[in-house]
Amino acid sequence: ARSDGLEGQVSGARVIAQALKTQDVNYMFGIVGIPVTEIALAAQEVGIRYIGMRNEQAACYAASAVGYLTGRPGVCLVVSGPGLIHGLGGMANANMNCWPLIVIGGSSERSQETMGAFQEFPQVEACRLYSKFSARPSSIEAIPSIIEKAVRSSIYGRPGACYVDIPADFVNLQVNVNSIKYVECCMPPPVSMAETSAVRMAASVIRNAKQPLVIIGKGAAYAHAEESIRKLVEQCKLPFLPTPMGKGVIRDNHPNCVAAARSRALQFADVIVLLGARLNWILHFGLPPRYQPDVKFIQVDICAEELGNNVRPAVTLLGDINAVTKQLLEQFDKTPWQYPPESEWWKVLREKMKSNEALSKELASKKSLPMNYYTVFYHVQEQLPRDCFVVSEGANTMDIGRTVLQNYLPRHRLDAGTFGTMGVGLGFAIAAAIVAKDRNPGKRVICVEGDSAFGFSGMEVETICRYNLPIVLLVVNNNGIYQGFDTDSWKEMLKFGDATTVAPPMSLLPHSHYEHVMTAFGGKGYFVQTPEELQKSLRQSLADTTNPSLINIMIEPQATRKAQDFHWLTQSNL
Ligand code: ADP
Ligand code: MG
């Protein structure tokens, strides 16, 4: 018997934790404080891992990455008011990316509502714009069913973010154990298939294509459709192009991958099989001049409302990508067909790939110092373990890095995504490292950051060191946003006035020693200026399987990407 008179009682915090665990939710990221500290403690008690972060935004990014990587939502736990508001950035990012996420926010006491309570804010309303579902349980007894609904909503249909609001007075309230009924773990999402007639029509459109292309998006990665998509591509001998996070669904070095001829492939394809990618800015809306005006899209998506956005598709296949791709495969099993490998289209694509690859190699081989982006990524690619997670953000750092750094496995690239969010990198890297620790011990996480991007969540380096996550952080440092100044020009400039009046808004402090952020917390730090130093520090960082490291790589402050066919192609992801 308990001495505190709480025999047979259970706290609201414990009910929340148990309800989450019952729904097979296993990771919680957050920052504790009034009124949610007890929820984090209770989570640990029921066997949920709790990772304390330094900013709710980064915690929310991390939780959402867990959802993408495991298919089961992670939780972001935040305090009321400002805590929740900091988390909104992560919620919006998750929802835009179609990634499952549960945000649990403490809120002020119900009895003080509208009175100007501590950190009072209309949280349920605030979250509605960034989520699929946003609610406050009416009582402690209602918590298990609300949490089941939140988890289910986050993974059914198009995945996304869900919010559960917990008033402060719920957290420590004790109720009779017998009054709580936990709801059974929700079933995995039901698998939906496309209409047979539409599948037949799609197969016939593909068979008649003169210049076909398969586009593989992060929806395909999330759907675990890698096996069936690879079969379709190989069996029909189709060229394919991954979107930034579709990279790795089929390995980047597959002979059918035409990523190095991306613009050309998009511009001249006459039939495009779109597997889990939206025709948004990343894919130039599917419109001319980046595409043929009469290109036939075969659009595969789980979300009916997505079908027909910006372009009227030739065929719409509403359903789960894996299931629908298998349906397509059945058609090609019945009547085998393959796209002729000797076609003019393949020749055009191969030639363009060759010349683009030669150009990158040439830039990479430049011996001048400071290094350019291509030289840096060439040396990084040389040493990357094939099975590692690559997290990346920044402007040129992310865009150029994507073309050089290869992915060989699905769901192993995480970047700024649909929303183009800067500051996601460290949260994503922490999530990947935590998941890897549980599921693939020894697997490495490489986080490639621009110097500006690093600044958004830089203090999460302390989190990395606290949990001893052997992440290799690369800061590709050009002293600025898009570009910066070298030290001499910076000093010269300051002769003309105060930095607030003369410094270009793009510039950051030149020659910053970001590696000290890592050494401050006990990790390894390297400052590198030459290819040899880069090679050596990277070798040491990868050999060290217990400590995190940060390699601060100085590059030419005015370095940019190579000339593009489309001269306005200067923005992220294009
Ligand atoms: P990318 O950034 O790679 O272009 P998007 O995030 O724009 O990808 O698109 C992903 C699409 O995948 C979304 O429209 C989403 O509805 C869809 N999707 C997610 N999961 C599935 C699934 N299991 N089956 C089919 N479509 C899915
Ligand atoms: Mg920069």
Side-chain angles (χ1 to χ4, degrees):
R2 291 174 62 152
S3 56
D4 53 11
L6 294 178
E7 184 76 25
Q9 300 283 97
V10 63
S11 71
R14 182 61 185 246
V15 174
I16 295 162
Q18 190 59 56
L20 287 167
K21 188 68 188 169
T22 308
Q23 296 306 321
D24 195 23
V25 170
N26 298 301
Y27 300 94
M28 182 182 278
F29 299 81
I31 300 182
V32 296
I34 297 168
V36 301
T37 308
E38 287 80 2
I39 299 176
L41 291 167
Q44 286 183 317
E45 277 168 24
V46 301
I48 294 174
R49 278 193 195 283
Y50 178 78
I51 298 98
M53 310 270 294
R54 303 306 300 265
N55 184 297
E56 289 89 353
Q57 220 176 66
C60 211
Y61 296 143
S64 72
V66 161
Y68 176 62
L69 295 174
T70 69
R72 213 70 204 170
V75 172
C76 176
L77 180 71
V78 298
V79 301
S80 42
L84 184 273
I85 289 170
H86 292 168
L88 290 180
M91 246 180 129
N93 188 69
N95 222 38
M96 293 284 176
N97 272 348
C98 313
W99 288 359
L101 166 72
I102 305 291
V103 176
I104 293 191
S107 55
S108 44
E109 299 215 6
R110 285 171 303 165
S111 64
Q112 298 170 356
E113 214 158 66
T114 75
M115 294 176 68
F118 174 64
Q119 299 185 332
E120 183 180 351
F121 193 70
Q123 301 185 180
V124 174
E125 289 96 313
C127 288
R128 215 157 263 151
L129 201 51
Y130 310 95
S131 65
K132 298 176 72 179
F133 172 73
S134 179
R136 168 193 284 187
S138 58
S139 64
I140 299 210
E141 288 75 11
I143 287 173
S145 63
I146 291 281
I147 284 186
E148 187 271 347
K149 183 162 175 162
V151 170
R152 184 161 40 82
S153 304
S154 77
I155 56 177
Y156 278 34
R158 169 181 274 174
C162 295
Y163 177 66
V164 180
D165 192 72
I166 304 291
D169 49 298
F170 275 9
V171 176
N172 290 315
L173 198 69
Q174 303 284 332
V175 296
N176 190 309
V177 173
N178 298 323
S179 68
I180 306 293
K181 302 269 173 292
Y182 291 100
V183 182
E184 230 182 297
C185 185
C186 68
M187 309 269 280
V191 177
S192 49
M193 291 204 271
E195 249 177 295
T196 320
S197 59
V199 176
R200 257 190 250 120
M201 198 192 321
S204 131
V205 171
I206 296 170
R207 280 177 215 275
N208 290 306
K210 300 206 169 53
Q211 315 207 126
L213 178 68
V214 176
I215 296 180
I216 305 173
K218 68 175 170 305
Y222 179 79
H224 285 247
E226 50 267 18
E227 225 8 71
S228 52
I229 295 178
R230 191 181 47 76
K231 268 194 199 139
L232 181 72
V233 160
E234 288 181 351
Q235 196 168 316
C236 298
K237 299 205 184 322
L238 295 166
F240 78 89
L241 183 71
T243 65
M245 279 196 257
K247 270 163 69 75
V249 169
I250 307 181
R251 64 190 160 88
D252 279 336
N253 65 344
H254 190 284
N256 294 30
C257 179
V258 295
R262 183 179 192 272
S263 292
R264 196 57 57 97
L266 295 179
Q267 202 186 352
F268 295 107
D270 69 338
V271 170
I272 295 180
V273 186
L274 190 64
L275 301 172
R278 284 167 283 182
L279 291 176
N280 57 15
W281 65 281
I282 292 186
L283 287 172
H284 322 288
F285 313 106
L287 295 172
R290 306 304 304 275
Y291 294 81
Q292 292 299 304
D294 54 355
V295 55
K296 294 191 169 91
F297 278 100
I298 297 169
Q299 193 178 7
V300 183
D301 207 290
I302 204 165
C303 174
E305 289 89 334
E306 186 59 39
L307 302 170
N309 275 344
N310 300 331
V311 171
R312 188 186 174 96
V315 189
T316 54
L317 300 174
L318 175 62
D320 171 68
I321 298 170
N322 195 30
V324 172
T325 308
K326 283 183 182 157
Q327 286 180 289
L328 281 171
L329 275 167
E330 274 169 29
Q331 295 295 317
F332 292 112
D333 281 340
K334 263 190 240 154
T335 324
W337 170 86
Q338 63 179 51
Y339 182 66
E342 304 307 324
S343 64
E344 191 57 29
W345 181 226
W346 265 122
K347 220 190 289 160
V348 167
L349 293 171
R350 290 239 162 81
E351 263 160 32
K352 187 67 191 165
M353 280 160 61
K354 238 201 204 147
S355 68
N356 278 348
E357 278 160 3
L359 202 57
S360 303
K361 275 219 181 87
E362 189 198 314
L363 286 163
S365 69
K366 288 240 162 75
K367 292 279 182 288
S368 57
L369 293 177
M371 292 181 277
N372 67 41
Y373 285 105
Y374 291 88
T375 312
V376 169
F377 292 129
Y378 176 80
H379 289 295
V380 174
Q381 170 59 26
E382 269 186 331
Q383 290 193 40
L384 276 195
R386 281 208 162 206
D387 66 347
C388 73
F389 288 98
V390 177
V391 178
S392 185
E393 62 175 334
N396 286 315
T397 297
M398 181 172 74
D399 293 344
I400 300 172
R402 182 176 58 244
T403 67
V404 183
L405 304 177
Q406 304 278 294
N407 284 94
Y408 303 93
L409 295 171
R411 298 169 296 282
H412 278 62
R413 180 186 166 84
L414 298 159
D415 67 20
T418 305
F419 211 20
T421 312
M422 291 301 136
V424 292
L426 276 75
F428 285 178
I430 289 168
I434 295 274
V435 169
K437 221 178 191 178
D438 284 350
R439 302 187 170 200
N440 310 88
K443 186 178 273 199
R444 301 307 293 268
V445 179
I446 317 299
C447 184
V448 187
E449 301 271 307
D451 53 332
S452 164
F454 175 69
F456 286 82
S457 304
M459 197 47 74
E460 299 303 337
V461 169
E462 188 275 329
T463 311
I464 290 172
C465 290
R466 182 162 22 103
Y467 292 107
N468 227 345
L469 305 170
I471 294 166
V472 179
L473 258 167
L474 308 181
V475 176
V476 182
N477 190 351
N478 67 349
N479 304 336
I481 305 169
Y482 304 116
Q483 48 187 11
F485 282 120
D486 58 45
T487 313
D488 290 344
S489 319
W490 177 258
K491 282 190 185 143
E492 194 59 33
M493 186 185 62
L494 290 184
K495 286 182 187 157
F496 295 92
D498 186 84
T500 54
T501 59
V502 296
M506 277 99 90
S507 49
L508 296 170
L509 186 70
H511 216 80
S512 288
H513 281 275
Y514 293 110
E515 73 281 8
H516 293 338
V517 179
M518 182 60 88
T519 53
F521 304 109
K524 299 269 165 62
Y526 302 89
F527 181 78
V528 310
Q529 294 179 290
T530 66
E532 294 70 33
E533 289 167 356
L534 172 58
Q535 284 172 310
K536 190 168 166 215
S537 59
L538 199 53
R539 206 173 305 119
Q540 288 176 358
S541 302
L542 287 168
D544 189 339
T545 55
T546 49
N547 297 296
S549 42
L550 190 155
I551 309 177
N552 183 12
I553 308 164
M554 299 311 293
I555 64 162
E556 165 57 47
Q558 307 278 328
T560 49
R561 55 196 304 202
K562 64 182 189 240
Q564 299 287 316
D565 283 352
F566 288 84
H567 61 84
W568 61 89
L569 266 190
T570 50
Q571 261 173 354
S572 246
N573 266 311
L574 300 177

